[in-house]
Structure formats: C-alpha cells, structure tokens
Amino acid sequence: MTIAFVFPGQGAQAIGMGQALAETYPAAKAVFDEVDAALGEHLSKLIWEGDIETLTLTQNAQPALMATSLAAMRALEAEGVAIDQAGFVAGHSLGEYSALAAAGAISIADTARLLRIRGEAMQSAVPVGVGAMAALLGLDFATVKEVAAEAAAEGEVVQAANDNDPTQVVVSGHKAAVERAAEIAKARGAKRAVMLPVSAPFHCALMQPAADVMAKALAAVEIKAPAVPLIANVRADVVSDPAEIRQLLVEQVTGSVRWRESVQVMAAQGVTEFWEIGSGKALSGMIRKIDRSLTCRQFGTPEAVAAVKEA
C-alpha cells in the first residue's frame, strides 16, 4: 500500500479549525505560533474566535488553511507518522504550498508570508464584481474547455480553471463570459451550473498581475527539494527540482488546477490510500468520484490523529 498526503484549498476554512489540535499537541500549537509571528498578527485568534466572513477573505483563508494543515501534520509526526511515509504529496491550489511546507521544501514562516502575499495579490488583480467563477456539473474537462472557448467572446476571458473530478469542472473569468459559459454548458448537457461565492476569478489569465507579484516573492524565498515528490497542480506530474517548483507556483496562479489528473497519476504510481491533512473533507469527496477503489482518510482532529496507528 502506498499513501499520498493531500492538502485542501480554499473553501475548507471553518471557525475553530485546528484549535483542538493545538490544545492537544504542543507541536501543533507551535505551528500557529510560528505563523502568527511570521505575519506579525494573531491569525490564530481569527481562526479560532473570529467571524467566518473575515476568515474567508482570501488573504486570511490562504495562510489559515496552511497553518491548520501543518498543525495536523505536526500532530501526526508526534504520533510517529513521518512525511517520508508518504509516496507523494499534493495540494489543491493553495494546498500545494501546504504540501511543500510539509515536505520541507519551504519553511512554515516563508509559506505563511507567501500565502498572505498571494491572497492579497489575487484579490487586487481584478476589481470586485468584474470576475466570477462557476462550477459546471456533469461535463468532462475536454467539453468544458470547448464551452469556455465558445463563451470567450468579445475579448472577454473565461477558462477551465479547476478540473476537480469527473462530475465537476470550474470555469473562471469575466463575469459576463462565465455566465455565458454556464448557459452554453446547460445546452451541452450539464446537470447544473452553479455560480460560486468567490471574490475574484482565480486560475485564469485575469490573474496575471498576481502571477507577476508571486514571481518576485518566490524569487526571494529559499526552496529546497521536497522530502517527498510533489504532484504539481499545473502539470499533474512529479516535480522535485526547486527551480521547477518555483516556476510552476508562478504558473499555478493563472493555470488550471488539474486535480483529477493528479489523483489518477498517483493511483497509477501505486497509491491506494489518500490522507487529507487539515480542515474538512472536500478532497476526499473528489477523490472518491475520481476512483471509488481508493481509500480516503481525514486528519484534522485530535481524535483522527490519535487513531492513526490503527490506520
């Protein structure tokens, strides 16, 4: 049996996430302390006692979800689970940063600062209300790419942004173009088209200003070869070279999150079990839709971590 450790992205945030881990495992508490120090603020107080609207702001949600995932990872390590027991690491969008931090490629402090910069840059890249995202349910990735190409009329951008699983592909771009894509998708047989409650159109060409910001920020940070091979979002393939990781993290801002293919690549390499490290179970739901033969476990609570030896 080969295990992959996978790390959730935006949307998994919840008030109180990671608090019980921090109260139970000193190593988990140390992660939140390190993130607070790196950002120069009490992000942990917002995570545990704040309101969900403020936590959901992109510049807060990104470092907060990373902190929670790394706290869970440190708790697992306290129970005897080392990162090198995984065959691969991967993460969904910002979760890729969590995966790299867990694998020792980027320090937790640098990862927190990068994600704060990333969140702010992605939010400011497009004025609020100009962009949108929609989940198209019931069409495959190839069909959604055709839908997006048809909808991208009049100089407006719309792209297939997230290939989440065989039943869900997300499009991103100018609001009017995304709305056109939703209507075209329905005409092409989509079961539903759901506009997403997001503040910016992530993972499309409109994010180029944010990609430029991240290129500069990543150039100033040390990146090491990860202890465990990374399956990169934009390539859906194994990456270990630090220079390549740096470049792909820049490309990730405007590129598609190829999650379905990433899971298939890991399964083809012998992975039979996926451990979702951090808040929620969204990735596990996607993975089960991709391949029902795969086992998924979630590690976001002290109870789940304490039971890891049985797993």
Side-chain angles (χ1 to χ4, degrees), residues 8-14 17 52 55-56 61-62 65 92 94 197-198 202 279-282:
Q10 216 158 320
Q13 64 273 6
M17 63 182 183
I52 190 63
L55 180 60
T56 298
Q62 295 202 26
L65 284 161
H92 192 282
L94 82 90
V198 295
F202 307 127
S279 179
K281 52 187 179 181

Side-chain angles (χ1 to χ4, degrees), residues 66-113:
M66 182 279 296
T68 303
S69 286
L70 268 291
M73 192 70 238
R74 294 292 180 265
L76 284 167
E77 289 168 356
E79 294 289 352
V81 177
I83 187 69
D84 61 8
Q85 288 176 250
F88 301 96
V89 293
H92 192 282
S93 191
L94 82 90
E96 189 158 275
Y97 285 79
S98 304
L100 287 164
I106 311 176
S107 74
I108 290 174
D110 281 343
T111 304
R113 287 187 286 263

Side-chain angles (χ1 to χ4, degrees), residues 24-293:
T24 306
Y25 294 94
K29 173 67 163 56
V31 171
F32 287 104
D33 291 343
E34 186 173 355
V35 170
D36 285 352
L39 298 179
E41 64 184 66
H42 292 292
L43 183 66
S44 57
K45 184 176 177 64
L46 170 62
I47 298 169
W48 299 336
E49 303 172 17
D51 63 90
I52 190 63
E53 291 80 11
T54 306
L55 180 60
T56 298
L57 293 173
T58 303
Q59 63 265 33
N60 293 327
Q62 295 202 26
L65 284 161
M66 182 279 296
T68 303
S69 286
L70 268 291
M73 192 70 238
R74 294 292 180 265
L76 284 167
E77 289 168 356
E79 294 289 352
V81 177
I83 187 69
D84 61 8
Q85 288 176 250
F88 301 96
V89 293
H92 192 282
S93 191
L94 82 90
E96 189 158 275
Y97 285 79
S98 304
L100 287 164
I106 311 176
S107 74
I108 290 174
D110 281 343
T111 304
R113 287 187 286 263
L114 285 170
L115 287 173
R116 169 55 57 82
I117 293 167
R118 184 177 184 266
E120 291 174 345
M122 292 173 84
Q123 184 60 64
S124 63
V126 180
V128 174
V130 171
M133 299 181 77
L136 307 183
L137 310 181
L139 298 181
D140 62 24
F141 188 57
T143 302
V144 171
K145 287 176 75 173
E146 293 173 2
V147 166
E150 186 178 339
E154 301 159 20
E156 291 182 326
V157 168
V158 59
Q159 293 172 226
N162 297 354
D163 183 12
N164 286 333
D165 63 50
T167 70
Q168 183 193 113
V169 180
V170 174
V171 292
S172 179
H174 285 105
K175 187 170 185 288
V178 169
E179 290 170 344
R180 282 197 299 273
E183 292 306 312
I184 294 167
K186 290 176 191 173
R188 295 283 290 267
K191 293 178 181 176
R192 277 197 303 158
V194 182
M195 299 300 290
L196 299 181
V198 295
S199 56
F202 307 127
H203 298 292
C204 76
L206 296 180
M207 287 286 110
Q208 188 57 50
D212 295 340
V213 170
M214 289 312 297
K216 293 178 182 176
L218 284 158
V221 169
E222 180 184 15
I223 299 180
K224 301 175 183 175
V228 175
L230 172 79
I231 303 296
N233 278 190
V234 295
R235 187 174 293 173
D237 204 357
V238 179
V239 182
S240 293
D241 176 66
E244 204 169 12
I245 288 170
R246 195 186 311 272
Q247 179 57 36
L248 292 177
L249 287 174
V250 175
E251 292 178 17
Q252 188 219 58
V253 179
T254 57
S256 300
V257 176
R258 296 167 62 182
W259 186 251
R260 175 185 57 85
E261 292 174 89
S262 295
V263 171
Q264 291 173 333
V265 164
M266 288 183 272
Q269 293 291 323
V271 171
T272 57
E273 193 161 310
F274 288 80
W275 289 13
E276 187 167 0
I277 314 293
S279 179
K281 52 187 179 181
L283 296 185
S284 297
M286 294 178 196
I287 291 164
R288 290 191 182 101
K289 289 176 182 175
I290 294 166
D291 187 339
R292 293 202 172 274
S293 73

